[in-house]
Every structure is written in C-alpha cells, then in structure tokens.
Amino acid sequence: MNEAPHLSIVIPVYRSAASLAELHARIAAVCTHIDVTFELICANDASPDDSWRVLCDLHAQDARVKCINLARNFGQHPALLCGLAHAQGQYVLTMDDDLQHPPEEIPVLLNAIQNDPDTDVYIGSYTVKQHNWFRNLGTAVINWATTRIFNKDPHLRLTSFRIMRRPVVEALLRYTTESPRVGQLMLMSTNRIRNVPVRHAPRAHGRSGYTLRRLIKDFLDNILSNSTLPLSFVMGVGFSLAGLSFLLALVYVYKYFVRGVSVSGWTTLVLLLLFFFGVLFFVMGIIGEYLIRILREARKN
C-alpha cells in the first residue's frame, strides 16, 4: 500500500477547464519546492465544460491527481465534502479552482498549522479581496449571520482557502445535512480556528457563479439548515402572545365586573377568543421547543 501523503489538497471543480492545467502545475511546483508529499483531489461537480476531460489528462500525467466525477451538480459544498471523504493526508487543504487562491500561498497555511499545535484549522484571510462589491456585500451579510448563529468571533473570517487537521475532517464527514456548509460545520466541530493573511488574486478565467440568487440561497441555507433561530423566534412569539392573551382576559373580566359592558355577550366572546388563541400560541411554543430538541439531536455527530 502507498504511504499516506503529508498534505491532501481538495478542490471542487466547476466550469474551470481553462485554469486546471495551470493550477496543477503551480501546486506541484510549490509542493516540490517545500519538499512535501501531496495528493490533489478534484471533485468535478458535473461541470458542463471540458473540466472532466482535463482532469483525466492530468491524472494520466501525474498519479498524485485523483479525480472524482459526480453524477449530477450537487453544489460546491457537497462536492467539497465528497473530496474530503477521499483525502488521506495528515493535513487537508481546500481551495477554489479559479486561481484566485494562489497556490504559492499554500506554504503560509501549512507552516501556520504545523507550528501551532493548539489550533485545528487555519483559514486564509485575504489582505485585499479581488471580488466585486456585489460579492463582497453578500459575503459580509453571510458572515454577519454566521456570527450571530454560531457565536463566532466577529473578527474571524471564513473563506474556502483553509487547512485543517485530519480529526476535523473526520468530524465534518460525520454530519449529515441536506444543505451542508463546510465553514459552519467546522464551527460546530471546533473552536480552535484562526486566520492567517494570504493573497487573493484576480479571477483569471470566466466569471463568478455567485449571482444574487446564489447569495440569497446561501444566506437562507445558513439560517435554515444550520440554526434553530427562526424556530426559536416563532416559539418566543407563541409564548409571548399566550401571556398577552391571558393578561387581556383579566383586563376584560375586570371591566365586566367593575365598569360593565353595554353589549350583551361581548365579554364572553372576547374571553373565549383570547383563551383559545392563548392556548394555541402556547401549544405553538411547546411544539417549537420539541422541534428544536429533535433538530439538535439529529445534528449530533
């Protein structure tokens, strides 16, 4: 059996046929220069261009390139998790396929985690981001939501250019969610995460797939798939309205006996409505609490 490499580099691939050859050449040159054994795992997310053909050619030239061809387009994060499941290295690095993560920055991440045994994950924090303002705004909103949901350090920046120890990878793979987000799963697996400054290059080929629709979907997935925040809000509203209904019932009882009510049956009708709405909202809160507990149990790894 072949000895496991020191470093696994996992890349989800989509519409990147034009950049894959250069990406592989630069990664191989960097790893040779720093004298580290590596494997390059590329998960092709059913890309409609020639990405799979290019990957097969690269594998034929270099056995360290391992190719996975997904049956359909699952999305960046499921493709990334698929690649992580095949990684064997002691350290696992993830990066994008568009050359905006310069391979020459790999030693920065590798040195940071090797020299800091108390940190499980190092994430590249861009010194200058080369995205357009629209993408930067969307990233800022998602980062704000992630900070609130996971009690993340607001100064910690989550990017897809990251390196992690093998136990973290194994923890990520134990989670089963319909819409996984690797950054959020890492926050659920360990608190020992730090940033390290890295360069961010302009996009060399094509254009970003992060449209307005994609950013909105990611924002909703972060909230709905990774937190109980909406459910907790509904539960709180249910309990609050139940308490308010019972208080209003006491007010109308007081008015009936002290001040009198001119319309016959009006107080009875109001009390019945308030009572049943109060019970309904209270039950809503109880159901919400049960659903939160079920969700937390289901999310345990």
Side-chain angles (χ1 to χ4, degrees):
M1 296 180 64
N2 294 331
E3 184 179 354
H6 186 69
L7 177 66
S8 294
I9 301 173
V10 181
I11 303 176
V13 174
Y14 189 75
R15 292 185 182 275
S16 57
S19 60
L20 289 174
E22 180 183 349
L23 181 62
H24 163 256
R26 290 168 63 180
I27 289 175
V30 167
C31 291
T32 300
H33 178 70
I34 62 177
D35 193 22
V36 62
T37 58
F38 78 98
E39 62 178 356
L40 178 59
I41 302 174
C42 299
N44 180 45
D45 194 22
S47 182
D49 63 359
D50 289 334
S51 293
W52 179 245
R53 180 187 59 79
V54 174
L55 289 175
C56 291
D57 291 342
L58 292 175
H59 172 70
Q61 301 167 17
D62 187 349
R64 295 172 297 185
V65 179
K66 300 179 179 180
C67 310
I68 304 168
N69 195 26
L70 301 184
R72 67 174 179 85
N73 180 254
F74 288 92
Q76 178 185 8
H77 292 269
L80 182 57
L81 287 172
C82 180
L84 291 176
H86 290 80
Q88 298 179 340
Q90 177 183 356
Y91 300 102
V92 181
L93 183 143
T94 70
M95 60 190 302
D96 291 345
D97 58 353
D98 55 9
L99 297 175
Q100 289 199 271
H101 294 161
E104 292 74 21
E105 296 295 293
I106 290 176
V108 176
L109 290 165
L110 184 59
N111 289 335
I113 199 167
Q114 287 184 144
N115 295 325
D116 185 1
D118 296 326
T119 301
D120 294 326
V121 180
Y122 262 97
I123 301 176
S125 177
Y126 309 137
T127 51
V128 178
K129 295 183 69 173
Q130 299 293 337
H131 293 313
N132 56 41
W133 69 269
F134 180 76
R135 172 77 181 276
N136 289 337
L137 177 61
T139 301
V141 172
I142 292 174
N143 183 69
W144 172 85
T146 303
T147 299
R148 297 299 182 273
I149 293 170
F150 295 97
N151 293 320
K152 178 181 72 69
D153 181 352
H155 300 293
L156 179 66
R157 292 291 174 261
L158 298 181
T159 71
S160 54
F161 198 14
R162 59 177 88 87
I163 190 169
M164 62 193 87
R165 301 183 188 276
R166 167 145 298 281
V168 176
V169 175
E170 295 171 354
L172 297 182
L173 295 175
R174 286 196 291 267
Y175 285 103
T176 55
T177 60
E178 182 179 0
S179 301
R181 291 294 179 269
V182 173
Q184 284 71 29
L185 294 181
M186 284 194 312
L187 292 173
M188 297 167 62
S189 302
T190 178
N191 290 325
R192 304 194 303 179
I193 304 175
R194 300 184 65 181
N195 282 131
V196 60
V198 296
R199 290 188 298 111
H200 191 234
R203 191 177 183 89
H205 304 281
R207 61 180 182 179
S208 174
Y210 279 87
T211 61
L212 176 61
R213 180 180 178 181
R214 172 74 178 276
L215 291 172
I216 292 175
K217 182 180 183 298
D218 283 354
F219 176 75
L220 293 177
D221 282 343
N222 282 337
I223 295 178
L224 299 178
S225 299
N226 298 304
S227 81
T228 59
L229 186 62
L231 198 55
S232 298
F233 175 76
V234 172
M235 184 184 69
V237 170
F239 280 120
S240 299
L241 291 179
L244 179 61
S245 298
F246 287 119
L247 287 176
L248 287 174
L250 293 177
V251 171
Y252 283 113
V253 168
Y254 169 79
K255 286 186 176 181
Y256 177 79
F257 286 106
V258 176
R259 301 176 59 182
V261 177
S262 58
V263 180
S264 178
W266 186 84
T267 301
T268 302
L269 179 61
V270 169
L271 289 177
L272 287 174
L273 287 174
L274 289 175
F275 173 76
F276 284 113
F277 273 110
V279 171
L280 178 63
F281 289 132
F282 184 77
V283 171
M284 183 191 304
I286 294 296
I287 293 174
E289 180 63 26
Y290 272 107
L291 289 175
I292 288 175
R293 291 169 185 256
I294 291 171
L295 179 59
R296 287 173 177 167
E297 288 294 327
R299 292 298 298 272
K300 286 183 179 179
N301 60 353

